């Protein structure tokens, strides 16, 4: 199988996309930080179905890491990523070096209010500014018609949707379902940082919030169901539960309004690795 060309510069990417657009072809972009797994590939496959041309970007964005240690140990597996993308296949991989994305003199930040403030925004100051800035840049660089994002990062998906609406960016956002391992663990590049013992405990995060959501639907009190989920996660050997919250699915504000879609979102630490997950309630 031939792997897609890997472009490193914005000028090369633009030249390629201009050629496609001149022929009237629709362009989809799938932004990733690499260390690809089936979750990422499901986004690329969705783009492949909808668009004549598919770009996957691989860029470990330093601006969205609030912890330098986390940035340093983030997995980088470009060759394996290119081989996986060849199975989709995608048309091009855009993997720029940091100085191509943030050249000297770069001073602009895109900051989304409201939806980016609670939960991940509170726990990871600056994280969503980094995401919003790089996503805006990737849309500008790629001139894509559609952008593909995973529900795995539910809050991020809401932030990107808000950003596109607020700035009138000419790109349609497509949110794709969370892909899970057979035992329920949401696929994540961070899962490979778990110890073998940690990997066995990790599915409890999903199991516990699923149980809580079922209990709430069956009429149990929100607070009680959430407390039981947190206890189950701690009892399984997680180091810490950062949050489990039931929120309005769109605004991410606290919500007891059962007539509107709600989402349960959780973050917890296991083996020094921060895992997040979310489900509809
Ligand atoms: P990342 O490389 O972690 O920044 O993720 C890149 C994109 O893949 C984001 O839109 C994520 O939401 C999405 N993604 C990551 N894991 C999954 C998964 N398990 N299922 C679906 N989408 C995912």
């Amino acid at each position: 199988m031939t792997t897609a060309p890997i472009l490193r510069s914005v000028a090369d990417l633009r030249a390629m996309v201009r050629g496609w657009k001149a022929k009237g072809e629709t362009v989809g972009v799938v932004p990733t930080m690499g260390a690809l797994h089936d979750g990422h590939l499901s986004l690329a496959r969705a783009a492949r179905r909808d668009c004549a041309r598919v770009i996957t970007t691989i860029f470990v964005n330093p601006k969205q890491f609030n912890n330098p240690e986390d940035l340093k140990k983030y997995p980088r597996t470009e060759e394996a990523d290119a081989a996986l993308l060849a199975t989709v296949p995608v048309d091009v991989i855009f993997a720029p070096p940091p100085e191509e994305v943030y050249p000297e003199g770069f001073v602009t930040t895109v900051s989304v209010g409201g939806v980016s403030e609670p939960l991940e925004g509170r726990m990871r100051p600056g994280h969503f500014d980094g995401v919003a800035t790089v996503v805006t840049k990737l849309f500008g660089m790629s001139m894509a018609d559609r952008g593909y994002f995973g529900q795995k990062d539910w809050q991020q998906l809401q932030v990107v949707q808000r950003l596109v609406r607020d700035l009138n960016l000419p790109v349609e956002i497509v949110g794709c379902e969370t892909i899970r391992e057979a035992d329920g663990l949401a696929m994540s590049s961070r899962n490979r940082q778990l110890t073998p013992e940690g990997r066995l405990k990790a599915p409890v995060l999903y199991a516990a919030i699923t149980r809580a959501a079922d209990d709430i639907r069956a009429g149990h009190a929100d607070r009680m169901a959430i407390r039981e989920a947190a206890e189950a996660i701690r009892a399984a050997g997680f180091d810490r539960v950062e949050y489990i919250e039931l929120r309005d699915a769109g605004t991410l504000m606290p919500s007891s309004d059962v007539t509107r879609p709600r989402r349960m979102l959780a973050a917890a630490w296991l083996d020094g690795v921060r895992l997040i997950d979310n489900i509809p309630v």
Side-chain angles (χ1 to χ4, degrees), residues 120 124 127 151-155 178 180 185-188 190-191 205 209 242-243 265-268 273-278:
E120 293 298 287
R124 306 183 63 190
H127 169 67
Q151 296 180 359
K152 157 85 192 339
D153 298 280
W154 183 264
Q155 191 175 6
T178 302
R180 300 181 179 280
L185 175 66
M187 289 189 185
S188 166
R190 292 177 199 277
N191 293 350
L205 178 60
I209 59 173
E242 223 172 56
Y243 64 77
L265 305 100
V273 181
R274 189 170 181 278
L275 299 179
I276 60 171
D277 206 342
N278 70 87

Side-chain angles (χ1 to χ4, degrees), residues 183 185 194-207 232-239 270-271 275:
D183 59 12
L185 175 66
L194 293 167
T195 62
E197 300 75 45
R199 176 62 191 81
L200 293 175
K201 299 170 188 166
V204 171
L205 178 60
Y206 176 61
I233 292 164
R234 274 190 289 267
F238 276 62
D239 310 321
L270 174 62
D271 278 352
L275 299 179

Side-chain angles (χ1 to χ4, degrees), residues 128-227:
F128 283 127
D129 282 2
V131 169
T133 303
V134 83
V135 166
T136 304
K137 285 177 65 74
L138 290 171
F139 289 158
M141 292 165 172
S142 67
M143 304 181 285
D145 303 293
R146 298 203 179 100
Y148 292 78
F149 294 82
Q151 296 180 359
K152 157 85 192 339
D153 298 280
W154 183 264
Q155 191 175 6
Q156 169 174 282
L157 176 60
Q158 308 313 309
V159 169
V160 171
Q161 268 163 344
R162 188 75 250 170
L163 156 78
V164 163
R165 263 181 267 149
D166 286 357
L167 297 184
N168 304 93
L169 302 183
V171 55
E172 180 193 334
I173 303 305
V174 182
C176 302
E177 266 185 35
T178 302
I179 304 298
R180 300 181 179 280
E181 302 286 357
D183 59 12
L185 175 66
M187 289 189 185
S188 166
S189 309
R190 292 177 199 277
N191 293 350
R192 57 185 89 182
Q193 296 171 6
L194 293 167
T195 62
E197 300 75 45
R199 176 62 191 81
L200 293 175
K201 299 170 188 166
V204 171
L205 178 60
Y206 176 61
I209 59 173
T210 300
R211 168 91 195 267
D214 288 346
D215 286 349
I216 289 168
R217 275 191 292 265
H220 292 219
D222 297 356
R223 257 174 212 290
M224 187 63 95
I226 287 173
R227 193 175 321 135

